[in-house]
Amino acid sequence: MSILVYIEHADGAIKKTSLEAVSFAHALAQQTGGGDVVAVGLGTIAEDQLAKAGEAGASKVLYVKDSNLDAGVIQAHADAVAQIYEKVGAETLILATSSLGSAVAARLAVRLQAGLVSNVVELPDLSSGYQVKRSIYTGKAFAVTTVDTAHKILAIKKNAIDLKTDGATASVELVSLDIAQANFATTITSTDQATGEVLLPEADIVVSGGRGLKGPENWGMIEDLAKVLGAATGCSKPVSDIGWRPHHEHVGQTGVKVAPTLYIAVGISGAIQHLAGVNSSKYIVVINKDPEAPFFKAADYGIVGDAFEVLPKLTEAIKAVI
């Protein structure tokens, strides 16, 4: 049976988390002995981006080209994906865990009478039923969930699987759907979109600063390092609360949760709520002059030193090898 993957995009570019979901679906298809991996894209997506779904492991892309779907209205997306799911005769839906993806998945679970598992971190164990390992308690523990429904929805946690990039070219098929107008009843009147060379939620590298930088006038050090690395910039909650940085840069349990390959924390002590927002990062580097800072316990690498001395030297050293 086919595996359907719901892919999200931003300004016409498919999100990396969705490509990871495609790679997960490809690995699952191989694990279960075959079956097509079909991706569904909604809205307006660039043609070269649709090809990336093939590189990630999809054999076909069903493209619902409708600008009305660009706004990401949850009800409309859920209706569209449900129609495609039934059209291809799929038994499993794969998607990325995200604000939009999670909301769409919840609605589809009810409509399709499907078992839903979120924050999935590895392929299912099929040796005894259908058991799925998921991250819980903001990454502090794991749970194994048994899914016994005919239809299954798996929401994949970022960085749970390596991104496949050597897949064959996927065929792209334009599909027209009759989406009930009632699903567009929610109207988005305006959006306030974060700007920057690299957006925080999708960044592969994040450089964040805390109160150890002593003031907003010193943030140039963070931005210089981020520019060299091609990274997004973030900050701790106290920094955004006192107005040093905008709130959309606040990383933590009550801010933006990130899961980059590399997270660099500068002058951040490591409060529990901040750790909850970054503990899915593959590698964490902490720079702090206090050797007793709690963040060091969660770090893969640590530098005990004054950020005002370490950051300029680190930036120059990276420039020299890039």
Side-chain angles (χ1 to χ4, degrees):
M1 300 293 288
S2 297
I3 298 174
L4 185 66
V5 186
Y6 166 58
I7 55 178
E8 299 178 50
H9 66 92
D11 298 325
I14 297 176
K15 294 183 177 181
K16 180 175 178 287
T17 49
S18 287
L19 293 175
E20 289 175 356
V22 175
S23 296
F24 187 97
H26 179 267
L28 178 60
Q30 291 186 318
Q31 181 190 39
T32 54
D36 292 332
V37 175
V38 181
V40 54
L42 310 177
T44 307
I45 306 175
E47 290 185 13
D48 64 319
Q49 289 294 310
L50 293 173
K52 289 188 176 182
E55 296 172 3
S59 55
K60 179 189 289 187
V61 179
L62 299 181
Y63 179 27
V64 184
K65 190 175 183 180
D66 184 346
S67 59
N68 291 322
L69 294 166
D70 286 339
V73 176
I74 297 165
Q75 296 89 332
H77 275 232
D79 186 21
V81 175
Q83 290 186 49
I84 294 292
Y85 185 91
E86 292 162 354
K87 176 183 176 69
V88 302
E91 286 187 349
T92 305
L93 172 68
I94 308 293
L95 71 169
T97 296
S98 67
S99 55
L100 176 59
S102 297
V104 169
R107 285 164 174 77
L108 288 171
V110 174
R111 177 163 172 173
L112 301 174
Q113 294 296 289
L116 167 61
V117 185
S118 60
N119 287 319
V120 175
V121 296
E122 60 184 42
L123 290 169
D125 179 1
L126 306 179
S127 62
S128 178
Y130 197 102
Q131 297 184 322
V132 185
K133 186 177 181 179
R134 61 187 295 260
S135 172
I136 60 174
Y137 300 134
T138 62
K140 295 184 180 67
F142 297 101
V144 175
T145 302
T146 299
V147 186
D148 56 11
T149 53
H151 298 287
K152 301 169 180 66
I153 300 176
L154 305 182
I156 313 304
K157 188 174 184 178
K158 186 177 181 182
N159 286 332
I161 192 168
D162 291 333
L163 178 61
K164 179 179 172 64
T165 58
D166 59 353
T169 301
S171 62
V172 179
E173 178 184 336
L174 285 173
V175 178
S176 296
L177 298 178
D178 182 15
I179 302 174
Q181 196 59 38
N183 288 312
F184 293 101
T186 300
T187 302
I188 298 175
T189 57
S190 66
T191 58
D192 184 10
Q193 186 170 343
T195 58
E197 294 183 7
V198 183
L199 296 182
L200 188 56
E202 291 297 310
D204 197 48
I205 304 175
V206 176
V207 181
S208 286
R211 284 183 293 182
L213 289 173
K214 299 181 180 179
E217 67 277 3
N218 297 317
W219 224 259
M221 296 190 300
I222 297 290
E223 293 170 336
D224 290 344
L225 178 58
K227 187 173 182 179
V228 170
L229 292 171
T233 58
C235 68
S236 62
K237 186 177 187 295
V239 165
S240 65
D241 285 346
I242 58 181
W244 290 4
R245 299 301 294 173
H247 282 284
H248 66 253
E249 289 191 5
H250 162 208
V251 174
Q253 186 171 19
T254 56
V256 179
K257 295 179 183 178
V258 297
T261 300
L262 175 62
Y263 185 80
I264 302 176
V266 183
I268 301 175
S269 62
I272 291 175
Q273 83 88 24
H274 188 83
L275 288 172
V278 306
N279 58 12
S280 294
S281 305
K282 278 195 173 181
Y283 302 101
I284 296 176
V285 176
V286 172
I287 301 171
N288 201 301
K289 66 180 182 180
D290 178 9
E292 301 300 321
F295 219 149
F296 282 119
K297 294 179 181 179
D300 296 286
Y301 302 94
I303 299 175
V304 179
D306 190 333
F308 292 90
E309 297 177 3
V310 174
L311 246 58
K313 292 179 181 179
L314 179 60
T315 302
E316 290 304 315
I318 294 172
K319 284 181 179 179
V321 297
I322 291 181

